[in-house]
Amino acid sequence: MKNTTVERMLQSQGFGTRRECRSLVLDGRVTLNGEPCDDPQQRISPEGLPFTVDDESWVCHEKVYLMLHKPAGYECSRLPTYHPSVFALLPPQLVARGVQCVGRLDEDTTGLLLLTDDGQFIHAMGSGKRKVPKVYEVTIKHPMSDAQIAQLLAGVQLHDEPEPVTASACERIDEQHIRLTLTSGKYHQVKRMVAAVENRVEALHRSVVGEWTLPPDLPIGKWQWIHPQT
Ligand code: URA
């Protein structure tokens, strides 16, 4: 991120128009590196800079990458139909920066959801070639037989899909739970695959996406920054 002025940095971080950001500084509502800042034109090296606005702490990042512990009852859409949107769980400054979901989870699915404003990252994570693993903890209606697990691993034919879709791993946890790893992300894929072997998903939770695992101490509905290496 190039050197810039304080007001431009605040604007880039979702704090409003240049004029609004200038007023925040002139009104004494901003600190940089723990020091009060009263000059909106002060030049700074922004990346990684800690700042506060109205005593709320931020770190300046050129791009937003975050993980959310998605609760049930939230839609991944920006304009949800029947339920609140996951974007309601994020600070308005990040929503203003245009973050999007990296793949969607159903309204009733819980767990790990990545969000970013980096279109290349979304593309790379969704690319079929990259085969990013996603791990789902699946609560099932009936115990899964060895034959059903073998079927999921060998591939099941879903309606409207040209080829059978496979699970890259499927582990039986107990009578009611399996852990399923997928490297593709088709609409309702877990529910449709489980239905294709004549079982039924009762609850669905995503625990892993690529290199990220949902931390046990991230409460439901809360988010945290992530730092992709690629
Ligand atoms: N598969 C589903 O069926 N639903 C999800 O939310 C994610 C994967």
Side-chain angles (χ1 to χ4, degrees), residues 104-106 109 136 188-191 204:
R104 290 185 172 199
L105 291 177
D106 296 336
T109 301
Y136 294 92
H188 290 333
Q189 188 168 340
V190 173
K191 291 174 185 165
L204 189 55

Side-chain angles (χ1 to χ4, degrees), residues 160-194:
D160 296 331
E161 296 299 339
E163 288 169 3
V165 288
T166 55
S168 49
C170 183
E171 204 184 326
R172 187 187 296 109
I173 308 296
D174 59 32
E175 298 274 281
Q176 275 196 302
H177 299 94
I178 57 168
R179 179 172 299 133
L180 201 61
T181 306
L182 303 181
T183 55
S184 48
K186 302 186 189 308
Y187 182 65
H188 290 333
Q189 188 168 340
V190 173
K191 291 174 185 165
R192 289 160 73 208
M193 288 179 77
V194 168

Side-chain angles (χ1 to χ4, degrees), residues 9 29 48 50 56 70 75 108 117 134 138 143 149 166 179 185 209 225 228:
M9 179 280 283
R29 295 163 65 185
E56 195 176 354
K70 182 190 173 295
E75 293 183 23
D108 53 355
D117 59 353
K134 283 151 289 219
V138 193
I149 290 179
T166 55
R179 179 172 299 133
V209 176
W225 294 98

